[in-house]
Structures are given as C-alpha cells and as structure tokens.
Amino acid sequence: MNRSIAILLLGLSLTGCVEARSVVPADGPGPLLVAHRAGTADYPENTLLAIRKALDNGADALWLSVQLSADGHPVLYRPADLAVLTQGAGAVGQSSLAELARLNAGYMFKAEDGSYPYRQKPLRIPTLRQALRAIPPQVPVFLDMKSLPVEPLVDAVAGELERQKAWSRVRFYSTEKAANDYLTQRYADRARQFESRDATRNRLVGLAFGERCEAPPAGGTWMGIELRRELTVTERFTLGESSYKVPAAQLWTRKAMDCVRREPAKVVMFGIETAEDYRTARALGADAVMSNSPRKMEAIRRRVLADQPGG
C-alpha cells in the first residue's frame, strides 16, 4: 500500500468515516510512524522545529502534549514544571501566554555531543493554534491532555479545534479518567478518543496472565499502550504478600491481538525504539508505532523493509 494512502485512511478513520480496520496489510509497508512529543529524542520536544523535522524524517503522525496557560490558551508542553525543559520554573498553568512566550523550550535539550545547542538559538513554547497551522491537514494529530483540572483544558482545546475546523484531524488521549469522561459527556458528537489506558492495560495484563478474551473492545476502538512495560506482580497470602517485578513484560502478544481484532480495533504500540521491537510490532500487525526518534526509527523501518522478500 502506498504510504500516502495509508496516512489518508488513518486520517479518515479519526472521524469514523471509514470502517475501523487495520490500515497495514500483511504485505504492506508496515506500521505508520508516530512521533512522540514530535520526536523528543531528536529535537526539543513539542516545538514547531520538532514538528517540522519529524515530518521531514518520515513521521506519518504526531503525538503532542497539551497544557493550559494561566489565561486559558492551550500550549504544547509536557512536564509538570517549566524548569524541566526551559530556563523558567513553576507550572505552565501559573504563567500567562505572554510569560510563556519569553521562555526557551529548547534550553535544557542536550545534544549527543553534550552541548546545549538551543541556548543560543531559543525556541518558543508553541500554542496549539500555531501547531495546527504548521501541520499539513492530512497528517493525523494525537493530543495528550496533560494538565489539571481537565475541564478547562478540554474546553479550550475544543474551542481551538472549532476555530481551526480541525476536529477531523485530531484524536484525544489522556491517562486521566476525568478527561475521558468529560470528552464523552461534553463532546461525544465530535471528539474521537483512545480507549482509557486503564481499560487497555487491564485487558492486556489479564490476557498475559492467562485470562480468556471475554471482553474484547467494541468495534472501532483505538488502543494505545507500550509493547513492553515493567510490571509489578503481587501475590497475597494469609499472612502477608509478596511482590516481584517483571522488567519488560510484553503486553502486546498474538493472543492479545487476536482478542482486540475480534471487533476491528486500531492498535498503536508505544515505546518502539529498536529494530527488534519494530519487527515485533510489524509482525503482530500494529496499525502504528510511537517512537521518540523518528530519525532513527525511519532508518530502521527502511532497513526492515529492504530485508523483506522483494524489498
């Protein structure tokens, strides 16, 4: 399948306009590449530079983190403290848009040679409006809602999507149940969401530990979680309990995929950074893989496809 057609199908399915089925044929080019935080390992995350470079480096879709400024503007920033990435400090929600505009979103970005290249070439924290205007309309966008309380953030994002006529380009994700519930309650006619992380995790962990597939997701569900993740297993006894860690439990397995495909669902596998994990995700039939480094993952994807028969 031509990759531009695959991206178009993914974009259309954000709106529910086509039947939800895998956009990756068994003999096709493989999962689409989603740039996590617009490629946090390659360039200062969630910046317009990172967005542009991620697309230049082969990303098919963008995963962006959204918070709300003190004066109600949705901006692209992930950590709880501005000090993590900028020369500022405090929560995003404690600063106005004008104050955020004076910060350098690339201040703490460390290059492979140990330098801080963006301290002399500052990058701004972009607004959601700026990002949507910079991203080609055919590129799917996943918005990870990152600030509390969720209701004003969701309302502000919804207002921006309305003004930019961008509902069809976007799908929402949040680790906060309140955000998922509020989107369903207030914007069910327009907002497209991932299944809650709790629901996805609990289903896959149960399957990994031998449960039967008694509750597959409804048709059209989007699911996103890591291919592999550290788990803590706790056994409870009459006189206490014992816990141990599984450092890299594989959540997505053939059994899991067979379960979630009973009613066609879309699967985005997170944390794909190596050729081994990319091959695993591709063999399992992932619709998309999310990577911190589109630059490295696109090179891996090309090598894997070149190794295929007829490649």
Side-chain angles (χ1 to χ4, degrees):
M1 178 185 292
N2 182 279
R3 184 157 296 277
S4 62
I5 296 175
I7 296 171
L8 176 61
L9 287 175
L10 182 60
L12 286 173
S13 63
L14 286 172
T15 69
C17 293
V18 297
E19 179 185 358
R21 60 185 183 276
S22 173
V23 299
V24 182
D27 59 349
L32 299 180
L33 175 55
V34 182
H36 187 211
R37 307 179 208 144
T40 180
D42 295 337
Y43 296 93
E45 65 181 46
N46 287 307
T47 61
L48 296 181
L49 174 66
I51 287 170
R52 185 172 72 252
K53 292 295 188 178
L55 296 176
D56 289 346
N57 285 326
D60 303 306
L62 296 162
W63 188 282
L64 305 175
S65 315
V66 187
Q67 296 196 52
L68 198 63
S69 70
D71 46 353
H73 295 273
V75 298
L76 303 191
Y77 193 81
R78 175 192 57 89
D81 194 329
L82 288 164
V84 177
L85 300 178
T86 79
Q87 79 277 35
V92 169
Q94 295 173 335
S95 296
S96 68
L97 185 61
E99 291 168 331
L100 293 173
R102 292 194 285 269
L103 298 179
N104 180 0
Y107 188 80
M108 296 300 292
F109 184 86
K110 192 173 184 179
E112 292 180 355
D113 63 3
S115 67
Y116 294 87
Y118 297 99
R119 291 189 177 181
Q120 303 304 317
K121 297 183 293 184
L123 300 171
R124 302 307 174 199
I125 297 173
T127 64
L128 177 60
R129 176 180 302 179
Q130 290 170 331
L132 290 173
R133 289 179 174 177
I135 298 168
Q138 72 272 19
V139 175
V141 176
F142 302 110
L143 295 182
D144 191 351
M145 313 296 275
K146 286 295 188 184
S147 62
L148 297 173
V150 297
E151 292 82 2
L153 172 62
V154 169
D155 286 340
V157 170
E160 196 58 59
L161 296 182
E162 197 71 40
R163 286 187 289 274
Q164 301 299 319
K165 296 181 173 54
W167 283 103
S168 63
R169 301 168 58 188
V170 167
R171 184 169 290 270
F172 292 89
Y173 177 91
S174 179
T175 56
E176 296 293 332
K177 182 178 184 299
N180 297 319
D181 290 347
Y182 188 66
L183 278 161
T184 300
Q185 169 195 338
R186 186 74 182 272
Y187 300 102
D189 60 328
R190 285 160 287 175
R192 301 294 185 260
Q193 303 181 62
F194 279 80
E195 176 183 66
S196 75
R197 183 178 176 87
D198 286 350
T200 298
R201 181 197 62 234
N202 293 346
R203 181 186 296 108
L204 297 189
V205 169
L207 290 167
F209 283 89
E211 291 183 7
R212 299 176 59 187
C213 182
E214 296 180 349
T221 298
W222 280 65
M223 308 171 69
I225 203 165
E226 291 80 4
L227 170 64
R228 308 179 200 276
R229 184 163 180 81
E230 179 180 291
L231 298 177
T232 300
V233 179
T234 300
E235 291 185 282
R236 290 186 171 84
F237 311 105
T238 303
L239 299 179
E241 63 181 37
S242 174
S243 297
Y244 64 94
K245 289 186 177 180
V246 182
Q250 184 171 323
L251 298 180
W252 289 111
T253 62
R254 177 54 57 197
K255 179 180 179 181
M257 292 297 288
D258 288 345
C259 177
V260 305
R261 297 296 199 198
R262 286 191 180 184
E263 294 290 338
K266 292 197 179 297
V267 171
V268 182
M269 296 186 187
F270 298 172
I272 307 301
E273 309 296 343
T274 67
E276 177 187 0
D277 282 351
Y278 180 80
R279 289 189 180 94
T280 299
R282 187 173 190 273
L284 288 170
D287 292 285
V289 296
M290 189 165 74
S291 174
N292 289 332
S293 177
R295 177 173 56 83
K296 292 180 180 178
M297 189 49 55
E298 173 63 4
I300 287 172
R301 179 163 65 177
R302 289 180 182 276
R303 288 200 303 271
V304 170
L305 294 180
D307 290 341
Q308 303 303 307

